[in-house]
C-alpha cells in the first residue's frame, strides 16, 4: 500500500514537472540580458521595458481582452438559452441540433478559419474587429452548449413549473429559478469560452483586417525573429492568471461580490472604449500588407504624423498566405512581397504601375536591385531589401577545404546530424538543383525529379532537420554545425556568435529581392507612392535596416553600414550579381503542383 502511494506521488510530481517546466524556463529567460532564447547570460529587465514601450503589444492586449470578454458574454447567453430551449424540444430535433453543435468543436481550426474568411468576403463584410468578434462568438457558443446542456438535463423541471404555478412570470422563472440552478455549468462554459477566445490564433489570423491583431497574432509575428519580448509578455499573462486564480480561491465571499461588480464595471468600460475606438477618423487611410517583423513600427508612426494619415498595417507569414488572402477578396493598397510572387501578381493583373514621378528617391536605389527578370522595367515594383540564400557554418567545426564542395557539403557524411535545411519548398529544391548543375527555375520534369531524389537521399543519409525561423537561435547556441539560411538571418546569427561565418556556394544560389508594389484596389495612389518614397529616405532606411537586418536596396545606406558594426546585426553585402545566381521566376500551375507533390514526399521521409 505504501509503495503504491509513493508511486502515485511520484507520478503526480512527474506530471507537474512535465506541465510546468517549460513555463518556468520561459519565465527565467524573460529576465535574460541577451537576445538568446536558449543561453542565459545575465539578469535584465530590458524585455519588460520594451514590452511596456511597444504600442503594438499594448493594442493587441486590449483587442484580446475585449474580444474575449464580449464573445464570452454573447456566447454564454446564446449557449445557455439554446440549452434551455433544447430541453423542451422533441427527441429527434434535439439529436439533430446536438449533432450540428458538435461539428464546429470537431472541425479543424484551419477549416473553420478558411470558411469564415470566404463567408465574410462573399458577404462583402470588411474584415476587422467586428468579423473577429463574430467569429469568436461562432466557435465559442458550441462549447458553452456542451457545458450547460448536461446541467439542464439533470435539472428537475418540476421546480420551474412550481415557480410558474406560484405566479412567477416566465422571465422571472428564467432569471431567479432556472439560471441559478444552472450556474455551475454556465460558469464552466463561460470560462471555457473566454479561454478559447483569448488563446485563439488560427481563426483570428484569417478573419481579421484593418490592422486589428490580438496577442496570438503579435506573438506569431515576433517568432519571425528571435524576440525575447515574447517571454516577458507570456510571463505577465501567466502572472495575471495566477493572481486571478488565487483571488478566486482565497478572498472571502464579500470581496468576491465586490470583485464581480468590478468585473462588470470593467466590461462596461471596455465596451465604451471599443465604441470610441471604432469611430472612424477623417484621416486618409493606407492599408499596408507586409511580412511579420519586416518594418520598424516607429517609422510607421512617424509617417502617420508627417502625412497626417492612418496606416492600417497587417502582416503575413509567407508569400503564399498573402496570395490566399488576396484571392479571398482582402483589399490592400501596398504590398511588400518577393520577386517570384510579384511576377505572379503582375501576370494575374493584381497590380497597378508605380508612379515614379512621385518617387524622387528612385535615384538612391542600387543598380543591381533594378531591372530584374520578374519586372524588367520596374513598372510595378520598387526594390525594398535584397539578399541571397547561403550556408552559415561554425568555423571551428567545418574544414575550410570542405567549403569548396559548395552545396554538396550538405551531403558530406562528416557533418551527419549537424545540418539544418531551410523549411521552404522552392529554396530547398533550389539547393538540390544548383548542386546538380541545373537552373533553379527549370521546368524539366526529369531534372525536378532528380532534385527530389537528391533531397530524399540527403534526408535519409544525413539526418538533416528542416527548420524555420528557430534556426537562428539554434545556430547562435551552437546546436548544429551548419544551416541553409537567408543572408539577413546569416548576418544576424554571425553578430550573436563570432564563431559563425556565411558563404554563397560557387554553383550559384537564389538572389531574392523583396519589393513594394501597389494593388489595383488602392484607394489613394498618391499616398501609396509617397509611402514608398518615404521608405527609401536615407535616415528611414538606416533605422529600418537596424531593425530588420537585411541588405538595403538604397545603395549609400548599404555602403555606409557595411563599413561599421552595430549592435544586434552586422550589415554585410552578400555575393549578389554573380553569373550563376538566379532570381525565382513565375511557375505555371502544373509545375507548381509537381513541386508541391514532391515536396510533400520529401517532408514525409
Amino acid at each position: 500500500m505504501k509503495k503504491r502511494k509513493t508511486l502515485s506521488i511520484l507520478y503526480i510530481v512527474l506530471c507537474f514537472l512535465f506541465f510546468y517546466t517549460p513555463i518556468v524556463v520561459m519565465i527565467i529567460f524573460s529576465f535574460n540580458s541577451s537576445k538568446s532564447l536558449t543561453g542565459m547570460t545575465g539578469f535584465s529587465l530590458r524585455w519588460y521595458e520594451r514590452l511596456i514601450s511597444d504600442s503594438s503589444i499594448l493594442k493587441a492586449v486590449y483587442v484580446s481582452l475585449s474580444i474575449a470578454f464580449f464573445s464570452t458574454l454573447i456566447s454564454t447567453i446564446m449557449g445557455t438559452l439554446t440549452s434551455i430551449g433544447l430541453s423542451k424540444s422533441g427527441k429527434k430535433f434535439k439529436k439533430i441540433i446536438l449533432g450540428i453543435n458538435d461539428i464546429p468543436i470537431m472541425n479543424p481550426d484551419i477549416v473553420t478559419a478558411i470558411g469564415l474568411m470566404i463567408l465574410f468576403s462573399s458577404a462583402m463584410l470588411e474584415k476587422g474587429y467586428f468579423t473577429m468578434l463574430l467569429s469568436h462568438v461562432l466557435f465559442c457558443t458550441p462549447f458553452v452548449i456542451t457545458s450547460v446542456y448536461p446541467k439542464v438535463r439533470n435539472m428537475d423541471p418540476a421546480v420551474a413549473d412550481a415557480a410558474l404555478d406560484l405566479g412567477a412570470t416566465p422571465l422571472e422563472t428564467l432569471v431567479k429559478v432556472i439560471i441559478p440552478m444552472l450556474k455551475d455549468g454556465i460558469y464552466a462554459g463561460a470560462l471555457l469560452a473566454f479561454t478559447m477566445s483569448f488563446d485563439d490564433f488560427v481563426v483570428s489570423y484569417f478573419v481579421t483586417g484593418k490592422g486589428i491583431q490580438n496577442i496570438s497574432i503579435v506573438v506569431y509575428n515576433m517568432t519571425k525573429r528571435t524576440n525575447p519580448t515574447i517571454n516577458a509578455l507570456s510571463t505577465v499573462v501567466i502572472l495575471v492568471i495566477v493572481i486571478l486564480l488565487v483571488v478566486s480561491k482565497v478572498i472571502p465571499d464579500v470581496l468576491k461580490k465586490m470583485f464581480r461588480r468590478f468585473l462588470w464595471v470593467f466590461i462596461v468600460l471596455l465596451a465604451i472604449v471599443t465604441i470610441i475606438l471604432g469611430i472612424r477618423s477623417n484621416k486618409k487611410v493606407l492599408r499596408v500588407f507586409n511580412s511579420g517583423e519586416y518594418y520598424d513600427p516607429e517609422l510607421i508612426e512617424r509617417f502617420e504624423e508627417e502625412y497626417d494619415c492612418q496606416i492600417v498595417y497587417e502582416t503575413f507569414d509567407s508569400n503564399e498566405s498573402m496570395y490566399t488572402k488576396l484571392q479571398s477578396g482582402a483589399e490592400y493598397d501596398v504590398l511588400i512581397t518577393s520577386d517570384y510572387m510579384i511576377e505572379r501578381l503582375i501576370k494575374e493583373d493584381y497590380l497597378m504601375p508605380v508612379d515614379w514621378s512621385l518617387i524622387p528617391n528612385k535615384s538612391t536605389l542600387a543598380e543591381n536591385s533594378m531591372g530584374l527578370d520578374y519586372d524588367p522595367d520596374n513598372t510595378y515594383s520598387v526594390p525594398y531589401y535584397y539578399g541571397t540564400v547561403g550556408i552559415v557554418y561554425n568555423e571551428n567545426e567545418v574544414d575550410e577545404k570542405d567549403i569548396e564542395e559548395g552545396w554538396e557539403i550538405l551531403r558530406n557524411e562528416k557533418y551527419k546530424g549537424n545540418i539544418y535545411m531551410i523549411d521552404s519548398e522552392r529554396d530547398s529544391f533550389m539547393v538540390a538543383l544548383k548542386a546538380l548543375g541545373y537552373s533553379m527555375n527549370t521546368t524539366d520534369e526529369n531534372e525536378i525529379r532528380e532534385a527530389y531524389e537528391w533531397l530524399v537521399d540527403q534526408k535519409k543519409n544525413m539526418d538533416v532537420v528542416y527548420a524555420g525561423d528557430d534556426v537562428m537561435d539554434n545556430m547562435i547556441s551552437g546546436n548544429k554545425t551548419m544551416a541553409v539560411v537567408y543572408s539577413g538571418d546569416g548576418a544576424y546569427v554571425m553578430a550573436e556568435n563570432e564563431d559563425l561565418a556565411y558563404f554563397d556556394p560557387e554553383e550559384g544560389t537564389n538572389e531574392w529581392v523583396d519589393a513594394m508594389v501597389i494593388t489595383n484596389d488602392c484607394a489613394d495612389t498618391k499616398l501609396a507612392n509617397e509611402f514608398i518614397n518615404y521608405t527609401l529616405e536615407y535616415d528611414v532606411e538606416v533605422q529600418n535596416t537596424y531593425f530588420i537586418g537585411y541588405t538595403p536596396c538604397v545603395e549609400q545606406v548599404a555602403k555606409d553600414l557595411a563599413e561599421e558594426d552595430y549592435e544586434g546585426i552586422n550589415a554585410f553585402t552578400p555575393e549578389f550579381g554573380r553569373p550563376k545566381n538566379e532570381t525565382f521566376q513565375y511557375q505555371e500551375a502544373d509545375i507548381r503542383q509537381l513541386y508541391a507533390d514532391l515536396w510533400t514526399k520529401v517532408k514525409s521521409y
Side-chain angles (χ1 to χ4, degrees), residues 229-245:
T229 312
I230 298 172
N231 294 339
L233 175 61
S234 302
T235 300
V236 171
V237 171
I238 290 169
L239 181 62
V240 171
I241 292 171
V242 170
I243 291 173
L244 289 175
L245 286 173

Side-chain angles (χ1 to χ4, degrees), residues 477-525:
S477 303
N479 293 341
K480 291 191 185 296
T481 301
M482 68 181 75
V484 179
V485 298
Y486 298 112
S487 55
D489 294 340
Y492 181 89
V493 298
M494 287 162 57
E496 294 293 313
N497 185 336
E498 61 183 14
D499 294 330
L500 298 177
Y502 174 92
F503 78 99
D504 291 325
E506 291 296 327
E507 301 97 321
T509 186
N510 169 23
E511 283 185 347
W512 56 265
V513 176
D514 289 342
M516 298 172 281
V517 296
I518 302 173
T519 72
N520 284 328
D521 294 320
C522 183
D524 191 334
T525 55

